[in-house]
Amino acid sequence: MLEVGPAWEAELIRLSEKEGKSLRATARALGVDVKTVIRHLARLADCRQEENFIEVGQSLIERRTRWLALIAPHPQKGRKELRALGPADYCWLYRNDQKWLFENLPPVKSRKGAAGCRVDWPGRDRELGARVGPVAHAILYAPGRPVRVTISAIGKKLGALGILQRNIDKLPVARASLEGVIETRDSFEIRRVRAAARELLRCGESLEPWRIVRKAHLRPEYPASVAAEIERIIYAFEKGVIHGDEI
C-alpha cells in the first residue's frame, strides 16, 4: 500500500480522473476511506486553480506588454489594422482582458462623409414632388398586368424608396403629390377589372362576371364597388354604349 505522498497522489489522479473510478472504488484501491479521497482531491484542485491563476497572470503581463509595444510605433493605424498586426494577442486580450484592451485601442473612426454632411431637404422635396406624377402615370399605363400605384412602387421607380419611407415628414411637397396619386385597394381592383374586360374582348371571349373575376385575379370577397363596376361594364358593352378599347 502506498503512503500518502507524490506517488500516492499520482495514483489518486490516475484512478479518479483517467480511469474514472468512483470515490468508493478509488478509496478501496488506495486503502483509505472516502473522506480522505475527497479531501485530497479538493486540495489538488485548489493547487491546480492557483497554478492556472499564476499562469494566466504571467500571460496577461506578457500580452499587455507586447500589445503596447505593437501599437506604439503605429499611432495612425486603426483598430482593424492593429488587430491584423497582432491577431493572437488581440484575441487573447479580447477574451480575457477586454476592458484594458479597449482602453488601449484608438477610437473608432467615424464614417467618411457622415459628419458635417447636410441634406438640402427643401430641394430634395421639390425634386421628388415634381417627379411623382409622371412616375405614377407611367405605372398606371404600363403594358402588361396592372401594378398598383403605391408609395413603394413609386419610390422604387424614383430610386428613393428609403428616403420616402424614413424621411417623409421632411418632404411635404412629395407627400402631397403621393397622396394625390396612390391607389386604394378598391380603385386598383376596379382598374384590374377594366383591364381584364379589355383582354377578354381582345381574345374574343364573352364578358361574364366569373370570367372577369378570374381574369382580374380578384380576391374572393371583393367589395361592392368592384361588383358594381363589373355589372356596369357588361351592361354598357351589351347596350353598345362602350366598345372594348373604351372600357
Side-chain angles (χ1 to χ4, degrees):
M1 182 182 300
L2 292 173
E3 294 183 0
V4 175
W8 187 90
E9 289 179 349
E11 183 67 7
L12 171 63
I13 293 171
R14 185 184 70 80
L15 292 170
S16 62
E17 295 185 5
K18 295 183 179 180
E19 295 189 8
K21 291 185 178 296
S22 66
L23 292 174
R24 190 177 298 278
T26 301
R28 187 165 51 248
L30 293 172
V32 296
D33 57 27
V34 173
K35 290 183 179 180
T36 300
V37 170
I38 293 173
R39 185 172 67 253
H40 282 277
L41 285 175
R43 183 179 59 79
L44 289 171
D46 289 341
C47 290
R48 287 178 179 176
Q49 186 175 5
E50 184 176 352
E51 289 172 359
N52 290 338
F53 181 79
I54 294 171
E55 182 180 350
V56 170
Q58 291 173 340
S59 182
L60 177 68
I61 295 171
E62 292 172 1
R63 291 182 185 275
R64 280 185 175 184
T65 302
R66 282 202 301 266
W67 184 256
L68 292 174
L70 181 145
I71 66 176
H74 304 292
Q76 303 302 321
K77 290 189 180 297
R79 295 188 174 199
K80 288 186 178 180
E81 295 170 304
L82 292 173
R83 179 177 180 177
L85 291 175
D89 286 334
Y90 179 94
C91 291
W92 192 95
L93 290 167
Y94 185 87
R95 289 194 302 268
N96 299 284
D97 198 15
Q98 190 176 106
K99 184 175 183 296
W100 182 91
L101 174 64
F102 285 174
E103 290 173 351
N104 290 275
L105 283 173
V108 178
K109 293 181 179 180
S110 59
R111 292 181 299 172
K112 293 182 179 179
C117 180
R118 298 180 63 84
V119 177
D120 177 14
W121 289 113
R124 183 68 62 85
D125 187 23
R126 289 191 298 272
E127 175 200 349
L128 292 175
R131 295 172 60 196
V132 164
V135 168
H137 185 274
I139 295 173
L140 276 171
Y141 295 100
R145 187 173 178 178
V147 174
R148 185 178 173 185
V149 181
T150 62
I151 292 178
S152 178
I154 293 173
K156 289 177 181 177
K157 292 286 187 181
L158 290 172
L161 179 58
I163 293 175
L164 293 176
Q165 289 177 332
R166 294 190 297 269
N167 301 288
I168 193 65
D169 290 341
K170 299 177 182 178
L171 305 166
V173 175
R175 179 169 57 188
S177 298
L178 287 167
E179 290 173 352
V181 297
I182 57 176
E183 287 183 297
T184 64
R185 180 179 290 275
D186 288 5
S187 61
F188 175 53
E189 290 189 347
I190 287 174
R191 186 158 64 88
R192 287 164 65 184
V193 162
R194 293 170 181 170
R198 289 195 299 269
E199 181 65 16
L200 287 171
L201 292 175
R202 189 183 67 81
C203 295
E205 298 184 52
S206 61
L207 292 184
E208 297 182 39
W210 68 269
R211 290 183 187 274
I212 295 175
V213 169
R214 185 179 65 181
K215 192 71 175 178
H217 301 283
L218 296 181
R219 49 187 171 154
E221 297 180 357
Y222 51 88
S225 59
V226 177
E229 180 64 13
I230 293 173
E231 293 179 4
R232 185 195 70 80
I233 290 172
I234 294 174
Y235 179 82
F237 180 75
E238 289 177 348
K239 295 297 183 181
V241 176
I242 59 173
H243 299 87
D245 56 352
E246 297 173 343
I247 296 175

